Amino acid sequence: MAYANAENLNFYAPEVYEGDTEDWDTELTLAETDIKNKIEVKWYDQVKGNKEFDASKLTEGQWTKATVYQTLVAYVLPKMSTFRIDDTFIEQIKFYQDRLKDELNMQFALGIKYDDDGDGSVTDAETYKYAQTRLYR
């Protein structure tokens, strides 16, 4: 099962289906890989150290919004953009970049659900809260 699908993308940004493109499945898959990499680098490597990261132990539904936003920011909207001054897609990219950052920060603060023991369920002990508390200037 994927973190996000066409139905999710259509829910958050129905305008991406108004053109000639019938599906964004490849872009959704690329964005899912991006999200997994962000989780591994920002959280897993720092918390778990040298242990091998297994993305299949993450709870997929927790990352749907982030995957949709990453799809829009990194793959869909740049393909739709003309990159000219009056291009509305550039503004949408900025908007969804902010939503992506907020969503990732929210999920990290709420707790990353990671099935450490691989039993198919995530307990409270397997929900890892991770929030940046240091102010960077």
Side-chain angles (χ1 to χ4, degrees), residues 7 19 22 46 123:
E7 186 177 312
E22 293 182 17
Q46 294 184 29
T123 64

Side-chain angles (χ1 to χ4, degrees), residues 5 7-8 16 23 26-29 36 45 47-49 69 82 91 97 99-100 102 108 110-111 123 130 136:
N5 57 34
E7 186 177 312
N8 303 128
V16 302
D23 72 68
T26 301
E27 290 78 3
L28 283 160
T29 301
K36 289 175 183 176
D45 288 348
V47 173
K48 297 290 187 174
Y69 295 155
T82 61
E91 291 303 314
Q97 280 175 327
R99 298 297 75 72
L100 174 60
D102 292 346
F108 278 63
L110 288 172
T123 64
Y130 181 84
Y136 292 94

Side-chain angles (χ1 to χ4, degrees), residues 2-6 8-9 28-29 32 60 63-65 67-68 71:
Y3 285 8
N5 57 34
N8 303 128
L9 185 58
L28 283 160
T29 301
E32 180 176 326
E60 294 173 350
W63 305 105
T64 300
K65 261 197 218 180
T67 303
V68 168
T71 303

Side-chain angles (χ1 to χ4, degrees), residues 55-125:
S56 69
K57 292 183 175 184
L58 293 167
T59 302
E60 294 173 350
Q62 182 175 15
W63 305 105
T64 300
K65 261 197 218 180
T67 303
V68 168
Y69 295 155
Q70 178 68 21
T71 303
L72 292 167
V73 166
Y75 303 104
V76 174
L77 295 174
K79 286 183 179 181
M80 298 174 81
S81 177
T82 61
F83 291 99
R84 298 183 191 218
I85 293 173
D86 60 346
D87 185 3
T88 60
F89 293 113
I90 292 173
E91 291 303 314
Q92 288 180 339
I93 289 170
K94 291 175 189 174
F95 172 81
Y96 285 114
Q97 280 175 327
D98 289 343
R99 298 297 75 72
L100 174 60
K101 181 181 173 187
D102 292 346
E103 179 63 18
L104 286 173
N105 287 339
M106 176 73 72
Q107 292 306 324
F108 278 63
L110 288 172
I112 296 170
K113 297 173 183 171
Y114 187 80
D115 184 16
D116 250 336
D117 59 15
D119 67 354
S121 64
V122 178
T123 64
D124 287 343

